[in-house]
Amino acid sequence: MLIDRAEVVVTSPDRNFVTLKLTTDDGLSGLGDATLNGREMAVVAYLRDHVVPMLIGRDAHRIEDTWQLLYRGAYWRRGPVTMAAIAAVDTALWDIKARAAGMPLYQLLGGACRDGLLAYGHASGQDLPELFDSIRERRALGFRAIRVQSGVPGLPPVYGTASAARDVEVWDSRSYLRHLPSVFEAVRSEFGPQLPLLHDVHHRLTPIQAARLGKALEPYDLFWLEDCTPAENQEALRLVRQHTTTPLAIGEVFNTVWDYQQIVREQLIDYVRSAVTHTGGITHLRRILDFAAQYQIRSGMHGPQDVSPVGMAAALHLGLALHNFGIQEYNPHGARTDEVFRQSFTFTDGLLHPGSEPGLGVSLDVDEAGKYPYARAYLPVNRLTDGTLHDW
Ligand code: KDG
Ligand code: MG
């Protein structure tokens, strides 16, 4: 079964998505997500100019060998562009293999380890009444675990709050640190002790500030505190760990198992945040999570709207087959995106399931995709109140 055609499809139904579609000489096709939010066209060029020419005529069954060829064979390793491109090829080949076998992909990964995947949804508000309404709304949709993001008094809307969509945000860590514990105190007293609550700091604190926050949030029993410090400084987590037992999640901007080497071996985290899309595909993320499993670290795969339905489906198949699955982020896509990508995964009573169609269970309507051309877009940036550029 040889790879006969490779198309890179860029579409922007509700936001930009990059999808690789591989087709074999016997007519089977597979999809892979290569969306890198804000830098999409760099991956398109990497795929079209450098990867696709290497794929035509290769045996579609040789997933591991193709991964090694694209990784080792490039000499230049790692990095978000390279690893998103490799992820798309890897995912598309797994999709093809599972379609050829006539099985949903999770069966080829070892079969289901559970009935469904616990998902967390996003709730946010500028103030407590707005936040409580948002939590109630998420719970009414069935979510059994909730990420809580709140506005900070004195600042314009910040990351994760619904109205924050602006090009430049403003940040002040001291105001945030003073305010956030009171938000969790109020949420706990309104919604009780049982509901799993999560929070994303989005890389903004220094190690000692993160340590202080983790400690201050301990009474509210968070499921996790995410990206409490910038991801590059892995030693920072040692300091955070010394001060708090609040569980830590990190890794949505990591690309390889080597980014996790130190923090997994030293048990500095509790959840791996990587998505299939940004981490070299199913093959490589499985490798990371098998390594993490030796230290009782579990998965908490990134599932924002900028991971396409193809990337989400890949996460669900892998999550179902992993023993050390933890939780899955789920931020449903818009109606137009769902028209472009027909999906078979389900969300019932707070649990996601990839469905039983062969392969990933996602099909791409190329005509529908063609209606929505690429629209250049950037992530916001974040500045301190004096104008200094800060981590977003
Ligand atoms: O493209 C950036 C987003 O994926 C990111 O900001 C979302 O942090 C995020 C999350 O946890 O979903
Ligand atoms: Mg995050």
Side-chain angles (χ1 to χ4, degrees), residues 286-341:
R286 173 108 211 207
R287 206 151 276 159
I288 294 171
L289 288 165
D290 286 345
F291 170 47
Q294 297 172 50
Y295 300 88
Q296 291 168 278
I297 296 169
R298 295 189 284 156
S299 73
M301 287 179 228
H302 195 204
Q305 285 181 334
D306 49 283
V307 163
S308 87
V310 176
M312 270 306 290
L316 303 188
H317 285 276
L318 180 57
L320 201 68
L322 281 175
H323 179 253
N324 59 327
F325 170 81
I327 199 166
Q328 174 63 51
E329 182 179 25
Y330 179 41
N331 201 353
H333 291 107
R336 282 201 296 254
T337 298
D338 291 345
E339 284 289 305
V340 171
F341 299 93

Side-chain angles (χ1 to χ4, degrees), residues 144-165:
R144 298 186 197 170
I146 311 279
R147 186 185 88 158
V148 170
Q149 303 295 132
S150 163
V152 177
L155 295 183
V158 295
Y159 167 80
T161 59
S163 45

Side-chain angles (χ1 to χ4, degrees), residues 200 202 226-227 252 273:
D200 191 349
H202 225 253
E226 176 184 345
D227 287 335
E252 67 182 43
R273 282 289 285 145

